[in-house]
Amino acid sequence: MFERTANLANNQIINYKWDPSEKWLVLIGIAPGAPERPQLVKGNMQLFSVDQQRSQALEAHAASFAQFKVPGNENPSILISFATKSFNAGQITSKLHVIELGAQPGKSSFSKKQADLFFPPDFQDDFPVAMQISHKYALIYVITKLGLLFVYDLETATAVYRNRISPDPIFLTSEASAVGGFYAINRRGQVLLATVNEATIVPFVSGQLNNLELAVNLAKRGNLPGAENLVVQRFQELFAQTKYKEAAELAAESPQGILRTPDTVAKFQSVPVQAGQTAPLLQYFSILLTWGKLNAFESLELSRLVVNQNKKNLLENWLAEDKLECSEELGDLVKTVDNDLALKIYIKARATPKVVAAFAERREFDKILIYSKQVGYTPDYLFLLQTILRTDPQGAVNFALMMSQMEGGCPVDYNTITDLFLQRNLIREATAFLLDVLKPNLPEHAFLQTKVLEINLVTFPNVADAILANGMFSHYDRPRIAQLCEKAGLYVRALQHYSELPDIKRVIVNTHAIEPQSLVEFFGTLSREWALECMKDLLLVNLRGNLQIIVQVAKEYCEQLGVDSCIKIFEQFKSYEGLYFFLGSYLSSSEDPDIHFKYIEAAAKTGQIKEVERVTRESNFYDAEKTKNFLMEAKLPDARPLINVCDRFGFVPDLTHYLYTNNMLRYIEGYVQKVNPGNAPLVVGQLLDDECPEDFIKGLILSVRSLLPVEPLVEECEKRNRLRLLTQFLEHLVSEGSQDVHVHNALGKIIIDSNNNPEHFLTTNPYYDSRVVGKYCEKRDPTLAVVAYRRGQCDDELINVTNKNSLFKLQARYVVERMDGDLWEKVLNPENEYRRQLIDQVVSTALPESKSPEQVSAAVKAFMTADLPHELIELLEKIVLQNSAFSGNFNLQNLLILTAIKADPSRVMDYITRLDNFDGPAVGEVAVEAQLYEEAFAIFKKFNLNVQAVNVLLDNIRSIDRAVEFAFRVEEDAVWSQVAKAQLREGLVSDAIESFIRADDATQFLDVIRASEDADVYPDLVRYLLMVRQKVKEPKVDGELIYAYAKIDRLGEIEEFILIPNVANLQNVGDRLFDEALYEAAKIIFAFISNWAKLAVTLVRLKQFQGAVDAARKANSAKTWKEVCFACVDAEEFRLAQICGLNIIIQVDDLEEVSEYYQNRGCFNELISLMESGLGLERAHMGIFTELGVLYARYRPEKLMEHIKLFSTRLNIPKLIRACDEQQHWKELTYLYIQYDEFDNAATTVMNHSPESWDHMQFKDIIVKVASVELYYKAVHFYLQEHPDLINDMLNVLALRVDHTRVVDIMRKAGHLRLVKPYMVAVQSNNVSAVNEALNEIYVEEEDYDRLRESIDLHDNFDQIGLAQKIEKHELLEMRRVAAYIYKKAGRWKQSIALSKKDNHYKDAMETASQSGERELAEELLVYFIEQGKKECFASCLFVCYDLLRADVVLELAWIHNMIDFAFPYLLQFIREYTGKVDELIKDKIEAQKEVKAKEQEEKEVIAQQNMYAQLLPLALPAPPMPGMGGGFAPPPPPMGGMGMPPSMPPFGMPPMGSY
C-alpha cells in the first residue's frame, strides 16, 4: 500500500488501521525510549492518504478513525484520534488529539480538539497501546499497556472516565460494535469485554462531572436514560421562545423518545399557523422523517394529513422507506383510499383479523393459512371453506389439505370437511381430500377410513379397489367393507376382509370372477386349517376346473399347509393328476422317501413313463425296495425304470430273475451291454441259478468282452463250480494281449486243475498273482505253491507252507537267498518253534552252498540281531580264522571283533593282535562304548590315532599324567590342545595356559579368560592373550587384555596399548572397570574415548570434583549433571553443585528431583540460592519460578509476596496455592486465588483468615466475581460480625447479585436492620416486599412520615393493610393520615374515610369518597357534615363528589337542614349541565324526525312512480291517505313543563309533592 517513513525504522509495528472509506491509512510502531528515560517507550505513527499518495509522520502510540456528522453538513466527516506520550526537557507530556481529515470545502468542518491524558503516579512509564472508538456512543477508548482505560467524548474530547481494567499487560484490542465497547486480551490470555453502563453513564456525567450539555448529548447519541428532566426542560424553553424548529429537532433526538408523545403532537397542533409559513406540526413531522422512523401515533397523525390532501404516493414512499410505524388504525385510515396499501399496513401491524378479511375479499385463501400460521392467528376456517366450495371445488380441496397440514392439527374436523364435500355430491373431491389426510393411517381415523371406502364402493368400486390395493388403511370397519366388496363384485377384497370361515367359503367358490393369482395369494393369508377346508370346498364344487388352482396353492404354501395334508387331499379325491403336478414341484427340495415314492406312483398311474424313468434314475431318496416291488407289480411295458432302481440299489439278481422269467431277454442284453457291464457277473450268476442255457450265457459274456470285470465273473463261476465255462473267454482275452492279473489267475487255476504242465506256467507266466495262485495250489500240490510263492516273494505264505509241510531245506535256501532282515528276524524269532530246524539247515546246507559274501554277511547280521553270539562266533571262526575264501574279509574281521566285544571280551585283545584288516577307528569307538579302554587305547595307538588315544587317556582312563607323557612323546599340537582342555577343566589354569601356548591354540580363549579370572592368574592370562592377539582380532581379547593390565596395576601398558591399533570395545571395557571400582584405569579409557559423561562420574568417584564438573560441561547431559551435582552436594561443594544445578533445573522434569535432593539433606539456603540464580537464565521456565515460590513459602515467607507479585504470570499457581495453604500464608494465598480467577476460594480464605488477609477494597473486587451465591450471604455475616461499619459499601457492590429478601432476613434476625438502611434505600427501586416492609418499619420507628408516604407511593409491594393497621393508632397525626392514605390506596374506602373524619381531615375524607366512586359513601359523608354542622365542608363536598351525588338527595338535605345557600352553587351547576344535555337530546330528536320524514317522502315518490295508473281513476275517488300527508291535523305535541322538562317529571329530579 505504501512505503514506511523514516520514523518507523527499527520500530516494532503494533497496529494498522483504516477509515470506513479506506482512503486514509495509519501505521503505528513503538521503539525504545530516550536515553534519559529508556523505560518510557516511544510511539511513532505514519498517516497515509490514498487519494494524495502522501504520508505524514507523527509521534503517537495509538490511533483510530471515526465518522462524525457535523451540524450543517449532510455528509459525515472523517476524524482521526490519536494519543501520544512523550518525554521532552525532563517533562512527560500525554495528549489526546481529534482532527478532521480531508475537510470538505464550503461545508461546516470539525474543529480540532485535544485533551490531556492523566496518568497516575504509579503509571508514569505506562503508555497507550490501543485505541477504539465507539460509533454507538461516540466515545474514545484509550487502553494502556498496564491496563488503564481512558474514556473521552469524541465531539468535545472531554474526559469522561478512567480506571484500571486489567492487572496484567494488555497487548491486543478489537471493537465490539454490537455493544458499543471493545474486547481486549491480556498476557494471561483473558478476553475482556468493556463497555459503558447505559443506566448510569448519563447520571454520572451530569452528577459527578456536572457536565449537563455532555450528558444530554450522550443521551441523544446513544439513546440513553438519565437526561429526561433536562431534555423536557429544554424543550419547554424552546417552545416558549417559539423556536419550533429547534424544539422539533430536540424532540426528534430526545433519548428513548421521551418527547415523542401525543402531548408533543398536540402542542405543535395547537400552534396557530402564520401566513406564508410552514405549519409547526409539518415542520415537526418533516424533522422526524429526516431523523428516522415515526411511532404509531405520529404515523397516524401524519397519514391523516396526507390522506386529507389526497397524496397517497407520499404514504407509499414512506412505507417503502420504513419511515412509518404500521398500526391497525393506520390501515383503517389508508383503506379508504387504497386496499392494497392497507393490506400491507395490516400485515406489518399484525392486525390479523383485518389481514384475514382483506385476503378473503381478494379470494386469496391460501395466503390466509400461510399468514395465520406465521402470526399464530385462528380464523373461522369452516366459513372460509364453505365460501371456497361454492365457486372452486378443487381449490376447496387444496385449502382443506393446507388446513390439515397446519401445525397443531387441522382446525376443522375431517368428518365435517368431508360432509361439506358430500353435501354437494363432490365424491371425487372428498375422496382426494381423505386420501391425503389419512396417509398416516392412525387408529383415530378408523371412521373416516371406513367412510371413504364406503362412498367409493357404492359409487366407484374401481377407486375403492385401488385404495385397498395400496394398503394405506388398516383401521377401518373390515366386516362392513367386506360386505360392500362382495356386493360390488370385488371378491378378492371381500376375501381379504372377511374373518369368518363360512363367509370365506361362500365367496371363494366364485373362481370364475377371481384372478387365479390373487386367489393363490389369498390362501397365503389363511390359517392352515381354514386353507385346507377351502381347498376341499373348491375340489368338491369343481374338481376339474379348480384342480389347477389347488395345485398352485399347494405348491406355493406346502410348507405352511404341510405336504402330508396336501397329499391327503389329493388322495381323498383320488386325483393322481393333481398329486403328480403338486409333487413334481416339491420333489427337488424334498428328501422324504415317501414323497418320492408317491410321485413315482402318481407318474406311473398317469402314464408319465419318461418321468418315472427320470426320477428313478436321478433321485436318491425314494425307498428302493418299495419302488422295486411297485414297479414289478405295475409291469410297465418299459423296464427301464425297474432297471434304474435295481441297478442303483443292488437288486441286479432280482432284476435278472424278473426279466428272465418275463422273457425280456433283450433288456438283459441291453442292461449288460449298455447300462452297467460291471454287473454282468451278477447277471451271469443269476442266469446260472435260473438254469439259463450256456450258449446264451457264453454269447452274453463274449458280447461284453473287455468291458466285463473278470474277477467277480470268475468268483461267480467258481462258486458254482462252472469255471471251465470261461475257458474260451479267457483264452480270447489272452490272445488279445490282456495282462489283467485276474485273467491270468483264472487261466492258471484252470491249468492247475487240468494238470497241463503247471510248473511251466508258474515259472514263465509273469502276470498272475503268486499269492492267489499259490493259495489255490496249497491243497493240490505244496511244491507248486512254493514255486508260486518264491516267484512272487510271498515270504509269510512260503514260510507257512514249508513249516506246515516240513520243507525246511527249501525254506533255508529261500531265506539265505532273500537276504531280508525282516524275514531273518521272523524265522529266528525264539517263538518260532521251527527255528532250530531252520538254523541247522542254514549252517549245514544253505551257507556252505552260498558263494555270495552278501548272503553270508546278511546271515551273520541276522544271527547278531537275533542275539545268537555263541553260534555266530563259532561260525565266524570257521570262516575267518580258518583259511577260506572269506579269511581276509574286512567286514567279517570287524564282525568277529565286535561280536567278541559283545559276547566274550577276553578274546578281544587276542583278535586285535592277530587281525589287521578291520576298521580301527570304528572298532575303537565300540570298545570305548563297551568300557574296554585299554583295548581301545591299543587300537587307536595301533592305527596312529593319537588324538583319539589321548582322549581315551583323559576322558576314560582319567590319567592326565599319562596324557602329558603321551603328548611329550608324540609332540602334536592337537594332542597338547586336548591335554590343555583337560587341565583347564580340572582347574589347572596355569598348566592349561602353558599347554595352550605349546599347542599354539587360541580357539578356547573365552574359557581360558573365564578360568583365569576365577583363579586370579592375570599375569599368565596376559601371556596367553598376547599369544592369542597374534592369531585372532577379537574385541573380547583386546578388552580382556586391558582389563588384565588394570588388575595387575600396569596402567602404563594400558595407555600404550590403547594408542596402538586394537579392536577392543573401549566403552564396554571402561564400564566394566568403572563397575569394579578400577577408577584410575576407567579414567584413562573414558578420557581416551571422550565419554565425558562417564568420565565425570568416574572423577566424582575419585573425589576430583572440579574435573568432574568440566567433564559434565562437555557431556552436557542431564543425567551427568545430576550425578555430579548430587555428589558435590554430598561433598558440600555447593559452588560446583550450583554450577551443575543451573544446567539441571532448566529441564522441567528434573527440577523437582534436584529440589528434593537438596531439601532431604537440609541445604535449604543453597537450594534457594540455586533457584534465584536460575531465574535469570534464558531457558528459565515456569517450574523454576514456582519451585522458588514454594521454597519461599516453606523457608523464607517474608519474600513470598514480593515473588508472587513480580512473577505472577510465570507461576504454576495451583501448585503454589497448595504450598501456601500448607504453610498457612493466607494473604499470599488470597492473592494467588485472585490471580487464578478462583474468586470463591479467595473470598472463603479472606473470611476464614481475616486478620491476615482481609482488605476491604480487595474483598469488594473479589466478592462480585464469585460463582457461588452462598458466599454473598456468608460475606454479609462476615461483615456484620467483623466490619459492620463497611457493610453498606459491600452490599452496594452486591446489589445486583444478592437476594434482597434474604439479606433483610439476615439483618432482621441479627437485630441490626437499621444498619443496612442505606443499602435498602438504594435497592428499593426493585420493589422487593421484604425491603419495602423493612424500610417502612424503620420510617415508622423514626416517625419519618414524608419518607414513609414517598415509599408507599413509589413502591407498592408490601403488606399495605398490615402497615395501615399498625400506624392507624399512632400518636402522630401525620402517621394516621398515612394510614388513611394506605386504606384509600387499598380500596378500603370506609376505613380511610372513618380515620380521616376521626382526625378531622375532611379534605382527605372528601377526596377518598370521590375516588371510591361509591354514591352511598359520598351521601353518608354529606349527612356527616350536616350532623357536625360543617356547612363549608358540606358545600365543598358537593363539588368534590359532584359526579356521585344525586341532585334530589342534595336538595332535600339542604332544604331540610336550611342549607340551601350552601347548596345553591351546586344546583346552578347541575341545572346548567342538565339543560345542555336536554338541548342536545331535543336537537337529536328533531334531526331524527327530519330523517324519518325524508325517508317517508322517498318511499312516497317510489310508490307514486309504481302506481302511475292511479291517474286514470275517477276524480270522485279520493286516493287513500298517505302517512304524514293531509287528511286531518296531527295531534298537538305534548305540553312541556318548565325548564324544558316533561310535566310528568318532578323538577330537579325530586318525587312529586302533594298540593297544599
Side-chain angles (χ1 to χ4, degrees), residues 314-331:
L314 293 178
L315 282 179
E316 293 175 348
N317 294 336
W318 291 337
L319 288 171
E321 296 172 1
D322 197 24
K323 293 289 187 179
L324 303 179
E325 181 176 340
C326 297
S327 63
E328 185 174 349
E329 293 80 3
L330 179 60

Side-chain angles (χ1 to χ4, degrees), residues 927-996:
V928 171
E929 292 175 2
Q931 299 182 0
L932 301 177
Y933 302 129
E934 293 296 342
E935 289 81 353
F937 177 69
I939 293 172
F940 290 139
K941 186 177 178 182
K942 181 175 183 178
F943 285 89
N944 293 322
L945 300 174
N946 297 323
V947 175
Q948 291 86 332
V950 80
N951 284 338
V952 171
L953 292 175
L954 294 172
D955 298 336
N956 305 118
I957 301 176
R958 297 187 180 278
S959 175
I960 294 179
D961 295 337
R962 287 181 61 185
V964 172
E965 180 184 351
F966 182 73
F968 274 113
R969 187 164 55 247
V970 297
E971 281 295 340
E972 289 185 8
D973 291 345
V975 174
W976 277 115
S977 293
Q978 297 300 320
V979 172
K981 293 175 185 177
Q983 290 172 334
L984 193 62
R985 287 195 298 270
E986 294 298 326
L988 304 175
V989 181
S990 296
D991 295 340
I993 290 175
E994 185 65 33
S995 298
F996 276 123

Side-chain angles (χ1 to χ4, degrees), residues 820-827:
D820 183 81
D822 294 335
L823 180 59
W824 274 110
E825 181 181 2
K826 182 176 182 179
V827 297

Side-chain angles (χ1 to χ4, degrees), residues 483-711:
Q483 294 174 0
L484 293 175
C485 289
E486 185 177 0
K487 291 179 182 179
L490 302 176
Y491 295 116
V492 174
R493 303 300 175 200
L495 288 173
Q496 292 172 350
H497 289 77
Y498 275 129
S499 58
E500 298 296 331
L501 184 60
D503 296 331
I504 295 174
K505 285 185 175 182
R506 182 181 68 252
V507 176
I508 204 169
V509 297
N510 297 292
T511 55
H512 61 284
I514 302 175
E515 185 183 354
Q517 184 60 33
S518 300
L519 187 58
V520 171
E521 293 176 357
F522 168 71
F523 270 97
T525 64
L526 297 176
S527 66
R528 177 177 179 275
E529 293 74 13
W530 286 18
L532 294 174
E533 288 293 326
C534 292
M535 291 168 68
K536 291 178 183 178
D537 276 18
L538 288 175
L539 290 175
L540 190 63
V541 170
N542 187 355
L543 176 63
R544 178 57 57 187
N546 295 334
L547 179 61
Q548 193 61 35
I549 294 175
I550 300 304
V551 169
Q552 191 65 27
V553 171
K555 288 180 180 179
E556 194 74 24
Y557 307 110
C558 60
E559 293 184 3
Q560 294 88 335
L561 301 175
V563 178
D564 294 340
S565 301
C566 296
I567 292 173
K568 286 181 182 178
I569 289 178
F570 289 117
E571 290 178 342
Q572 180 180 349
F573 289 92
K574 294 185 170 54
S575 177
Y576 287 104
E577 183 178 358
L579 194 62
Y580 169 73
F581 286 118
F582 164 63
L583 293 179
S585 64
Y586 183 70
L587 195 69
S588 60
S589 60
S590 173
E591 297 181 0
D592 187 351
D594 192 46
I595 289 176
H596 283 256
F597 173 75
K598 288 183 180 296
Y599 179 73
I600 293 171
E601 182 182 22
K605 291 188 177 182
T606 55
Q608 301 293 333
I609 304 301
K610 290 184 178 180
E611 188 65 15
V612 175
E613 190 275 334
R614 184 191 68 80
V615 174
T616 55
R617 172 167 40 82
E618 296 178 357
S619 175
N620 297 319
F621 305 108
Y622 56 83
D623 186 339
E625 183 70 28
K626 190 175 180 181
T627 304
K628 179 198 72 173
N629 295 334
F630 166 73
L631 291 175
M632 286 182 176
E633 293 173 359
K635 294 188 177 180
L636 299 177
D638 191 344
R640 286 182 297 169
L642 180 62
I643 290 174
N644 291 338
V645 174
C646 295
D647 178 63
R648 294 182 61 200
F649 296 98
F651 299 128
V652 175
D654 296 338
L655 172 66
T656 304
H657 178 72
Y658 172 80
L659 295 176
Y660 181 74
T661 54
N662 287 281
N663 198 24
M664 302 175 75
L665 299 181
R666 67 182 184 87
Y667 281 103
I668 295 176
E669 294 175 349
Y671 172 70
V672 171
Q673 294 171 3
K674 299 178 181 180
V675 178
N676 193 351
N679 282 339
L682 297 176
V683 174
V684 171
Q686 184 62 41
L687 290 175
L688 289 174
D689 293 339
D690 289 340
E691 298 181 355
C692 179
E694 286 189 2
D695 293 340
F696 178 76
I697 296 173
K698 289 180 180 180
L700 187 64
I701 293 173
L702 291 175
S703 66
V704 180
R705 293 188 182 178
S706 60
L707 298 178
L708 189 64
V710 177
E711 183 179 11

Side-chain angles (χ1 to χ4, degrees), residues 436-469:
D436 197 284
V437 300
L438 298 180
K439 283 180 180 178
N441 191 21
L442 303 175
E444 55 265 28
H445 293 161
F447 174 76
L448 293 175
Q449 292 179 0
T450 306
K451 192 168 189 174
V452 69
L453 291 172
E454 281 182 349
I455 61 178
N456 282 282
L457 283 170
V458 173
T459 56
F460 304 109
N462 57 334
V463 175
D465 184 51
I467 295 172
L468 292 172

Side-chain angles (χ1 to χ4, degrees), residues 2-8 24-28 44-50 52-60 63 65 80 82 99-102 112:
F2 55 86
E3 296 291 334
R4 290 194 198 179
T5 54
N7 67 327
L8 287 176
W24 294 92
L25 312 174
V26 66
L27 184 66
I28 300 172
N44 294 303
M45 180 178 83
Q46 178 183 354
L47 179 63
F48 180 76
S49 171
V50 176
Q52 303 175 16
Q53 290 294 308
R54 293 175 57 188
S55 293
Q56 181 177 358
L58 299 169
E59 284 192 11
F65 294 101
I80 182 171
F82 57 92
I99 302 173
E100 182 178 3
L101 298 174
K112 177 180 178 181

